[in-house]
Amino acid sequence: GLMGIKLALASLIDLKDSYTEGHSTHVRDLTRQFLEFLKLSSTEIEQITIAAELHDIGKIGVPDSILKKAGKLTEDEFLEIKKHPARGADAVKSLEGFEVIAKIIRHHHEKHNGSGYPDGLIADKIPFGARVLSIIDAFDAMIYSRPYRKAMARKDTLNVLQEGRGKQFDPRLVSDFIIFLQ
């Protein structure tokens, strides 16, 4: 069923994604906790949590030379990285029960102001789960080290989230997330 498929896909991500040291798992767990804090229905929590764990599955198609690069990406390399949400959504959307999950994966790099990718969606046009995921994905990327930069202090990550309110992130969800983290 759904969980068996999810486990198989998650193990594929782990094979590819050793460099992120459990990013998908962190994002999954924090997403579940935040959605429980928001008192969402169990169905919504389940779908968004699965999307959270699988959000980077499209990176399987991105060469390691790009994913593990320590320096700044070239424009071409960044274009390659930017394909991962649509690729990931396309990979899972035909699986039974994954219609909503695929949309969340597709749109987790959209931005509140419409400057994100792949579709440049604005505000409420971005699926709710993707708006949640974009905050938690960014937060997790900041609190852990990456090949291209060191981990940030927690207070600095909160400042970045605040500065992104209404630009990168849904303003109400950012406020809720900051309260949740207290």
Side-chain angles (χ1 to χ4, degrees):
L2 204 60
M3 292 327 264
I5 294 169
K6 184 201 70 93
L7 283 171
L9 295 173
S11 65
L12 282 174
I13 296 172
D14 290 344
L15 284 175
K16 177 71 176 181
D17 239 16
S18 56
Y19 78 102
T20 57
E21 293 301 322
H23 169 69
S24 297
T25 313
H26 299 152
V27 171
R28 176 198 68 201
D29 293 345
L30 196 54
T31 297
R32 178 177 290 283
Q33 290 158 12
F34 180 51
L35 297 172
E36 286 169 355
F37 170 79
L38 293 179
K39 303 202 175 356
L40 263 67
S41 74
S42 57
T43 304
E44 283 179 296
I45 291 173
E46 204 50 54
Q47 287 183 321
I48 299 169
T49 301
I50 291 172
E53 185 167 15
L54 302 180
H55 72 280
D56 278 343
I57 194 165
K59 285 187 176 173
I60 289 171
V62 179
D64 280 356
S65 58
I66 297 174
L67 287 179
K68 297 184 165 120
K69 187 173 176 178
K72 197 164 163 44
L73 295 174
T74 67
E75 205 172 323
D76 283 348
E77 288 168 336
F78 187 52
L79 284 173
E80 190 58 35
I81 288 261
K82 283 171 79 169
K83 292 176 183 169
H84 83 268
R87 279 182 175 159
D90 288 347
V92 303
K93 71 181 181 198
S94 60
L95 296 169
E96 181 151 358
F98 274 76
E99 301 78 19
V100 172
I101 293 164
K103 284 192 176 75
I104 296 168
I105 291 171
R106 180 176 180 89
H107 298 300
H108 77 273
H109 280 290
E110 303 286 359
K111 294 184 180 176
H112 191 76
N113 66 7
S115 68
Y117 60 89
D119 300 316
L121 300 184
I122 293 179
D124 292 347
K125 297 280 183 276
I126 304 166
F128 175 80
R131 284 182 271 146
V132 168
L133 190 47
S134 74
I135 295 168
I136 295 177
D137 189 28
F139 176 74
D140 187 80
M142 291 186 280
I143 60 173
Y144 292 97
S145 293
R146 289 293 175 88
Y148 48 86
R149 58 145 190 74
K150 293 263 177 271
M152 289 166 61
R154 196 168 171 111
K155 64 173 171 41
D156 296 332
T157 67
L158 297 183
N159 288 338
V160 171
L161 292 177
Q162 284 284 16
E163 285 162 18
R165 289 183 81 238
K167 296 193 275 280
Q168 184 168 352
F169 307 118
D170 180 310
R172 232 195 88 218
L173 282 171
V174 166
S175 299
D176 289 341
F177 186 64
I178 289 171
I179 295 165
F180 161 74
L181 290 173
Q182 302 307 318

